[in-house]
Amino acid sequence: AISPHIGPKLPYDPLRDFAPIAHVVTAHSTFAVHPSLPVKNAKEFMALAKSRKEPLTLATSGMGSIPHLALEQMQTAAGVTLVHVPYKGAAPAITDTIGGQLSFQFANLPTALPQVRAGKLRGIAVTGAKRTPLAPEIPTINEAGVPGYEVVGWYGMAAPIKTPRAIVERLNSVINKALPELRDRYAALGMDLAGGSPAEFDALLRTERDKWAKVVKLSGAKVE
């Protein structure tokens, strides 16, 4: 959904060359700040960001990553100016945020939550449309007054476009049947089960493609 808009021309088209099988899981992220930042929720954070002469700094796992584009979407939706500091991965980004070199970061929930529970970071929002059962006490960015804000990762399965329809339907059936048995294992990774038909996964792919095309264009982000 993101790659066609942000990098060199791909040797394939994600929608033209693949047959969607099933949306498997949705992955949550959290908006976490260093404890020294005087904010308890995303609404206070945005008010602080608007009041400062020097913009707050965000650590991400790299240019064009979901955390980077989550930042770009927040700047557009909330009217704030923030500084993006890309790292070569999530681990060094979260380490420097804990160390206070940066103000905040978007991080996947399983990575950030242990640091939040230990008091090394403060989780002030999750980026999904709804709260996650893994951390029900953390509100969404929607609740902070940014309606329509939603940034989640997702995983699904697809096959080569010429795969017979009967095989696609059979795989979809087996995946949907297996998912409930994997609920606890996915929950431990900060993911919610999805499932559904090939047509529903295809609709998700198209919606996500169009959404991220707009965000990438606004951000000007490019990956060499």
Side-chain angles (χ1 to χ4, degrees):
I2 294 173
S3 296
H5 313 297
I6 205 164
K9 186 172 175 59
L10 297 176
Y12 60 89
D13 184 295
L15 295 181
R16 183 192 65 213
D17 296 333
F18 292 93
I21 296 173
H23 179 192
V24 178
V25 289
T26 297
H28 297 279
S29 292
T30 186
F31 182 13
V33 303
H34 189 268
S36 66
L37 211 65
V39 297
K40 301 294 184 184
N41 54 56
K43 190 171 184 179
E44 291 180 1
F45 175 89
M46 292 171 205
L48 176 66
K50 290 177 181 178
S51 70
R52 286 172 57 104
K53 292 183 179 179
E54 293 295 324
L56 295 168
T57 52
L58 165 75
T60 78
S61 52
M63 185 71 72
S65 63
I66 287 181
H68 172 210
L69 297 179
L71 163 70
E72 298 294 347
Q73 189 172 358
M74 173 176 278
Q75 291 191 120
T76 301
V80 295
T81 299
L82 305 163
V83 173
H84 175 222
V85 183
Y87 281 71
K88 293 182 178 179
I94 203 166
T95 296
D96 277 5
T97 306
I98 290 170
Q101 287 92 336
L102 298 119
S103 309
F104 72 107
Q105 78 170 138
F106 288 105
N108 68 69
L109 204 55
T111 300
L113 204 52
Q115 310 304 329
V116 171
R117 301 285 195 232
K120 295 179 180 179
L121 292 173
R122 181 181 298 132
I124 63 171
V126 291
T127 59
K130 298 184 292 186
R131 296 194 187 199
T132 169
L134 275 183
E137 74 280 9
I138 303 179
T140 68
I141 291 178
N142 277 314
E143 292 176 68
V146 186
Y149 186 94
E150 181 181 12
V151 176
V152 292
W154 46 263
Y155 296 86
M157 294 188 184
I161 191 65
K162 293 183 180 180
T163 302
R165 189 67 188 175
I167 292 177
V168 169
E169 294 290 349
R170 172 64 176 156
L171 289 169
N172 176 267
S173 175
V174 170
I175 291 165
N176 279 291
K177 186 177 180 180
L179 282 179
E181 299 177 23
L182 300 171
R183 185 180 305 277
D184 291 344
R185 295 184 68 180
Y186 278 126
L189 298 171
M191 299 177 183
D192 288 341
L193 298 183
S197 69
E200 288 170 327
F201 187 34
D202 181 66
L204 172 70
L205 293 173
R206 294 176 187 280
T207 298
E208 287 284 285
R209 176 197 60 184
D210 295 345
K211 168 185 174 177
W212 291 115
K214 294 175 184 176
V215 175
V216 170
K217 185 176 181 179
L218 284 171
S219 73
K222 290 292 177 185
V223 176
E224 298 299 328

